[in-house]
Amino acid sequence: MTQPPPPPPNQPPQGGGFGPPQDQPPQPAPGGSGPNLGKAPQPGYGYPQAPQAPQTPPQAPPTPPSGAPQPGYGYPQAPPTPQPGYGYPGQQPGPYGQPQQPGPYGRPPNPYGQQPGQPGYGYPQATVPLQPQAGGAGGGRKINTQVAIIVSAVVAIALIIGGGIWYAGSGDDGGKDDTASSSGGTGGKGGKDDKGGTGGTSSGGEEKVPADPSAKVLFQVPSPPVSKDDSSVVVSGSWLTDKVYAKSGIAEIVGYDPDKGSKLWTIKLDGPVCTAGKHITEDNKAVVVYQPDMPTKAEPSHGCSQVALIDLDAGKKVWTKTGKAGDQLISFDNVTISGGTVAAGSTSGGVAFAVATGDILWSPKTTDSCYDAGYGGGAKLVAVRKCGSYDARQLNIQTIDPKTGKVISEYKMAKGIEYAGVVSTDPLVVAADVGDSAGDGSGISDFFSIDNKTGELRTRISAPGEQFAARCDTITKIEHCTGLAVGGDRLYIPTEEHEGGGEGYSRTNEVVAFDLATGKQTGQRADAGDGYTITPLRMDGGNVLAYKRPPYDKGGQIVSIDGGSFKQTTLLENPATETVRDVETSMLPEYAEILYSQGHLYMSQVYASELTSADEKEYLAVAFGTSG
């Protein structure tokens, strides 16, 4: 779904850091103003055209690590490659002598898809300092915790559906544990009011429409210092409640006042964060996996063995636990929460802990040929269980009882499919790259909609990578699918960029809807607008919340797409100044984390990197807010 990064849309005038990349002159785009997306009963009919090279971008962040999924159109020119540093997962050997399996780019996988010597997604660019601006939301505002989003790991979503359906973390909640989600995740309170039926319906949602959507910078968090020896450190994880905006730093998690950005609390960790769960409990607890010690040159990684439950409102670490495979500590690749259970998975097997106590509830049987590679959480708990040898893999998608680990239903995927990602647990949808046919590193060629009760396949949708833009990390993160949303038995996904209707080399795209019962397009389409590209974030009742990446002379937007009419309402628009745009474009959905609630937008990095100049100003996070 994504291609190597040509320059982004609406080429601005020369100077001011907005010139074209030196090695990639703009290519002329073919005629036409984009595909006809209003129809598509048959695969391939009415799908968008193959993407063309967009225009030159504003100043750009560096390239992500070579093992990570490649970003989409408009990803700017990369800076010099730094050397790996502490917290750098690419140097960790495979768990307990198990053979490494090739990743999506022909490289062996590691917990982050990162290779030594490469910077991570969200690698910061040089920027001038931002100043908080007056007019931000004041105190007394309550942010509903069920609208928190965690767009983690940071990937440029690409879908390739093969005749089935897919959900990217549904907005139809269904579980009190499902109160936060990644971009396209299961955040949002709505769902229960979202009725099925072709065309979808709107239940209004909880996000208020401000009198003036113009936003101002509320605060920014400077990027933590990283030494030359360390170069790049994982800082994945961000959460939002009605009391706090929390963000991972280097071996710590910090809670900030959602309006002012003042520090409310700091939780110190023994080592860098490895991965963060995207769901939070009803009482605002989240889970992270981290290393037991700080890496050194002699030992660049200590394994991701520590699982911690964090009380976001109180700013306390409730408990820290580990799991063992034999007499070895398990190095976990992924972690999630569902039904009062924290479930962590890896190539060495999984472990389930009680949220309340941290006690081990169950651990699936690990044999010579089978193990639980990972879990999807939220409304239900779903395991991806792998059996067989690498060249004859059998994946079993299991809905399980979170308290006991008992299998409720099971769907056996076709043999030979090596990896699968859990897009949504209720309704159950998984994504897979069947036959390695995606060809773009998105991890998706097909989506499978599965009945949770019976384990039977509902339908399957094909979404070729050259036509649709979304992505799942099916290698290790399991449920980290970004750039899409699910609600009302609908899947909402963005098309790839194509030529816009304006003058010059402007680029644009659309969001389209698929019926999850039939696998067909509903005929609904939300246009990004000339020079903008649109990415779904999550559901808000029956509506879709989406982020619109701006052209060179505008600020980014958060819009609400009505689930019935597909009419767009602007909820927030960022300042269009060059300074603010430079920071915003270093934290786009493809390689950063985005959370939005009630007129507040939070954008943050997932890697902290060494500064290349003492004059550089780089940010871990930036917050925007409307005045009402």
Side-chain angles (χ1 to χ4, degrees):
M1 299 206 169
T2 55
Q3 304 289 333
N10 275 11
Q11 180 176 348
Q14 297 295 321
F18 291 89
Q22 299 302 309
D23 299 327
Q24 279 199 321
Q27 299 178 6
S33 58
N36 175 9
L37 297 170
K39 322 171 188 179
Q42 302 298 328
Y45 177 77
Y47 280 40
Q49 299 173 3
Q52 304 296 324
Q55 273 193 279
T56 317
Q59 184 179 354
T63 355
S66 61
Q70 295 302 312
Y73 278 99
Y75 195 93
Q77 192 172 0
T81 303
Q83 297 302 311
Y86 72 45
Y88 206 86
Q91 298 172 342
Q92 184 178 349
Y96 314 118
Q98 294 197 12
Q100 292 289 310
Q101 299 174 1
Y105 300 97
R107 299 180 176 89
N110 56 60
Y112 307 97
Q114 191 172 4
Q115 297 296 316
Q118 297 291 337
Y121 273 111
Y123 190 95
Q125 67 183 63
T127 56
V128 290
L130 292 176
Q131 296 298 323
Q133 302 172 32
R141 173 192 53 81
K142 179 171 181 175
I143 300 177
N144 190 314
T145 60
Q146 289 188 324
V147 293
I149 322 161
I150 299 175
V151 182
S152 127
V154 231
V155 278
I157 359 182
L159 271 103
I160 322 163
I161 309 178
I165 24 181
W166 76 296
Y167 305 145
S170 144
D172 21 340
D173 93 337
K176 291 185 177 180
D177 295 287
D178 185 14
T179 54
S181 69
S182 353
S183 167
T186 49
K189 192 176 183 178
K192 290 183 180 179
D193 297 326
D194 300 342
K195 309 301 180 183
T198 301
T201 61
S202 170
S203 63
E206 296 183 354
E207 295 296 337
K208 296 178 181 178
V209 179
D212 181 2
S214 300
K216 301 182 183 300
V217 176
L218 299 179
F219 63 88
Q220 64 276 339
V221 179
S223 186
V226 177
S227 72
K228 293 181 179 180
D229 293 335
D230 301 322
S231 177
S232 181
V233 183
V234 175
V235 290
S236 175
S238 58
W239 305 267
L240 182 62
T241 78
D242 56 351
K243 296 180 180 179
V244 66
Y245 167 67
K247 174 62 188 168
S248 294
I250 296 179
E252 66 179 12
I253 300 172
V254 180
Y256 301 92
D257 181 283
D259 293 308
K260 302 175 183 177
S262 53
K263 286 188 180 182
L264 302 178
W265 48 258
T266 299
I267 298 172
K268 294 294 184 180
L269 304 174
D270 295 328
V273 169
C274 297
T275 187
K278 70 177 188 175
H279 303 287
I280 63 176
T281 65
E282 184 183 31
D283 57 350
N284 297 331
K285 292 182 174 65
V287 64
V288 297
V289 174
Y290 64 94
Q291 296 187 41
D293 204 349
M294 296 302 291
T296 62
K297 285 185 177 181
E299 194 169 359
S301 176
H302 296 275
C304 300
S305 59
Q306 311 296 300
V307 180
L309 187 75
I310 305 299
D311 187 326
L312 297 172
D313 289 341
K316 295 180 179 179
K317 186 166 56 174
V318 181
W319 51 253
T320 299
K321 301 292 180 179
T322 61
K324 286 190 174 182
D327 59 353
Q328 297 283 338
L329 287 178
I330 296 176
S331 184
F332 293 107
D333 296 327
N334 54 78
V335 68
T336 194
I337 297 179
S338 179
T341 295
V342 169
S346 75
T347 54
S348 297
V351 178
F353 306 92
V355 168
T357 64
D359 294 340
I360 293 179
L361 296 175
W362 48 266
S363 184
K365 292 181 179 179
T366 300
T367 67
D368 290 340
S369 60
C370 291
Y371 61 93
D372 281 11
Y375 302 93
K380 296 185 183 296
L381 186 61
V382 172
V384 175
R385 188 164 178 82
K386 296 189 176 185
C387 295
S389 61
Y390 168 69
D391 56 351
R393 184 77 71 204
Q394 172 67 62
L395 295 187
N396 300 325
I397 310 301
Q398 301 174 334
T399 298
I400 56 182
D401 184 327
K403 301 296 184 185
T404 66
K406 179 182 177 181
V407 177
I408 297 171
S409 67
E410 182 177 74
Y411 173 72
K412 293 183 181 295
M413 302 194 75
K415 287 186 177 181
I417 298 176
E418 290 295 325
Y419 306 104
V422 177
V423 182
S424 167
T425 62
D426 187 21
L428 175 54
V429 180
V430 297
D433 185 359
V434 180
D436 297 324
S437 59
D440 62 353
S442 65
I444 306 166
S445 68
D446 295 84
F447 291 85
F448 301 81
S449 175
I450 302 164
D451 189 297
N452 282 101
K453 295 181 180 179
T454 65
E456 295 179 356
L457 183 68
R458 293 179 66 198
T459 187
R460 174 179 169 181
I461 295 175
S462 175
E466 69 273 13
Q467 297 172 357
F468 294 95
R471 183 178 295 274
C472 286
D473 182 350
T474 60
I475 307 298
T476 58
K477 295 299 189 293
I478 304 300
E479 69 171 347
H480 282 189
C481 295
T482 53
L484 57 156
V486 174
D489 219 28
R490 295 288 179 275
L491 163 68
Y492 301 95
I493 56 175
T495 69
E496 279 286 3
E497 294 179 25
H498 55 80
E499 181 185 4
E503 297 180 359
Y505 293 98
S506 66
R507 311 291 295 173
T508 190
N509 76 329
E510 299 79 27
V511 169
V512 296
F514 284 87
D515 187 307
L516 294 175
T518 66
K520 298 179 179 180
Q521 283 195 37
T522 65
Q524 296 164 302
R525 183 181 77 173
D527 296 320
D530 197 43
Y532 289 90
T533 54
I534 188 168
T535 301
L537 296 177
R538 62 173 175 85
M539 299 301 296
D540 174 36
N543 302 332
V544 182
L545 292 184
Y547 173 79
K548 292 173 72 170
R549 186 187 72 191
Y552 79 95
D553 57 347
K554 303 288 185 181
Q557 298 178 351
I558 295 292
V559 298
S560 176
I561 304 171
D562 186 278
S565 67
F566 254 46
K567 177 183 177 181
Q568 296 181 48
T569 301
T570 301
L571 302 181
L572 177 145
E573 183 168 12
N574 286 336
T577 62
E578 180 179 340
T579 300
V580 175
R581 288 199 317 271
D582 284 349
V583 176
E584 181 177 2
T585 54
S586 74
M587 298 182 184
L588 296 179
E590 294 88 342
Y591 38 85
E593 298 173 339
I594 297 180
L595 301 94
Y596 175 83
S597 176
Q598 301 300 344
H600 284 59
L601 171 65
Y602 304 86
M603 308 178 77
S604 64
Q605 307 283 12
V606 294
Y607 287 92
S609 304
E610 174 200 355
L611 296 178
T612 57
S613 167
D615 297 329
E616 287 185 33
K617 297 293 183 181
E618 296 173 353
Y619 300 102
L620 177 67
V622 60
F624 301 93
T626 61
S627 57

